Amino acid sequence: MGMAEAAACFGFEGLACNTDGEKVKVLVAVKRVLDYNVKARVKSDGSGVDLANQKLSMNPFDEIACEEAVRLKEAGVATEIIAVSCGPAGCQETLRSAMAIGADRGVLVETSDVLEPLAVAKLMQHVAAREGVEVAIFGKQAIDDDAGQTGQMFGALMGWAQATFASKVKIEGGAATISREIDGGLETLQMKLPVVITTDLRLNEPRFITLPNIMKAKKKPLEVIKAADLGLDLAPRTATLRVDEPAARKAGIKVADVADLVKRLKEEAKVI
Ligand code: AMP
């Protein structure tokens, strides 16, 4: 199904579609998560991870998504990059980071409710259809929930082609050529736009955010939409029963010599 058909299916008719050339609008999904350097602490009641007073940052795979979008713009393929985040007001900071990397503007779909991947995919569908984007770039997974589902669900809702875990992206002649690292090799796929791409770690190395770009990002447009106003069913489909800390590691021991090590591996650890 093409963009126009997908748009018609979902009630967003009259979209500007441009699948014949290299001038495309790009949506980048950016999630605010616990910074990857911070050790997650579980709440005392086991209901989830404690985020109070913790450093929150852009999901690392989403930084790669922003970088790729900026490279598409620098290559003359992308006309505009729209960074979108779904979550509480604090996500505006993450959108500013996306704009400091090079996104042109930001859209916050604001809610303080817990959002599962399906709910995020629906919100992204709303923004993508409204904006008439033809390329959407998501991270392959968010490092907080490790779901690895949102980009795929978005692709299904839009009726778009999808290229997951991309390690190389080329867009030319209304088509995307994507390399993916698979077991024992590299797979290269080609698909017509519109397309959703999810980023692998090796796709690129995000550029360093410079101070002048942070200052410029402050002046870029940031729109806030209330998720509750969109009339979408965002209710969670699953319930988290418990979240537990990983089991504490036992203290190590020093062995006297190689013979002692081999004896212990045989008799105590029983691994040889
Ligand atoms: P997940 O399916 O939760 O592992 O997330 C995969 C990707 O979907 C992330 O790397 C983001 O690009 C995007 N994503 C998930 N949740 C959100 C959110 N609340 N706001 C913006 N993007 C999101």
Side-chain angles (χ1 to χ4, degrees), residues 96-120:
R96 292 284 172 211
S97 303
M99 291 189 267
I101 297 173
D104 296 292
R105 57 190 169 98
V107 177
L108 167 63
V109 187
E110 193 178 351
T111 175
S112 51
D113 293 344
V114 172
L115 293 174
E116 287 182 351
L118 179 60
V120 176

Side-chain angles (χ1 to χ4, degrees), residues 140 164-165 167 179-188 200 202:
K140 77 166 179 184
T164 51
F165 314 144
S167 57
S179 300
R180 316 172 65 234
E181 280 175 31
I182 54 169
D183 260 2
L186 202 64
E187 179 182 55
T188 305
D200 201 357
R202 269 182 284 275

Side-chain angles (χ1 to χ4, degrees), residues 54-252:
Q54 296 288 15
K55 184 177 177 207
L56 302 173
S57 311
M58 189 189 300
N59 183 45
F61 291 106
D62 304 351
E63 283 182 19
I64 296 173
C66 289
E67 174 66 33
E68 198 60 23
V70 174
R71 290 186 189 190
L72 287 175
K73 192 165 176 201
E74 287 168 348
V77 172
T79 50
E80 191 184 25
I81 303 166
I82 307 156
V84 186
S85 194
C86 308
C91 298
Q92 292 194 27
E93 211 179 286
T94 312
L95 288 168
R96 292 284 172 211
S97 303
M99 291 189 267
I101 297 173
D104 296 292
R105 57 190 169 98
V107 177
L108 167 63
V109 187
E110 193 178 351
T111 175
S112 51
D113 293 344
V114 172
L115 293 174
E116 287 182 351
L118 179 60
V120 176
K122 287 181 183 179
L123 296 171
M124 292 292 177
Q125 177 193 12
H126 173 87
V127 179
R130 188 191 76 171
E131 298 286 349
V133 302
E134 289 163 88
V135 173
I137 313 180
F138 286 62
K140 77 166 179 184
Q141 80 193 61
I143 60 164
D144 53 359
D145 62 14
D146 275 349
Q149 298 172 359
T150 313
Q152 292 88 330
M153 287 181 171
F154 169 85
L157 290 173
M158 297 297 287
W160 286 9
Q162 46 181 295
T164 51
F165 314 144
S167 57
K168 198 166 166 218
V169 170
K170 191 169 173 212
I171 296 182
E172 204 174 46
T177 308
I178 310 285
S179 300
R180 316 172 65 234
E181 280 175 31
I182 54 169
D183 260 2
L186 202 64
E187 179 182 55
T188 305
L189 302 175
Q190 193 171 62
M191 60 203 71
K192 279 194 184 154
L193 302 189
V195 62
V196 54
I197 298 163
T198 73
T199 60
D200 201 357
L201 198 60
R202 269 182 284 275
L203 179 57
N204 62 49
E205 212 170 291
R207 66 197 61 192
F208 188 71
I209 299 182
T210 60
L211 189 59
N213 284 342
I214 294 174
M215 302 313 285
K216 265 193 229 159
K218 289 188 181 178
K219 297 209 178 87
K220 293 186 180 177
L222 198 164
E223 181 193 4
V224 181
I225 309 171
K226 299 274 180 211
D229 293 345
L230 302 180
L232 297 167
D233 174 10
L234 304 174
R237 269 54 174 173
T238 59
T240 302
L241 299 183
R242 263 199 80 73
V243 177
D244 291 301
E245 297 266 1
R249 281 179 62 178
K250 278 202 248 158

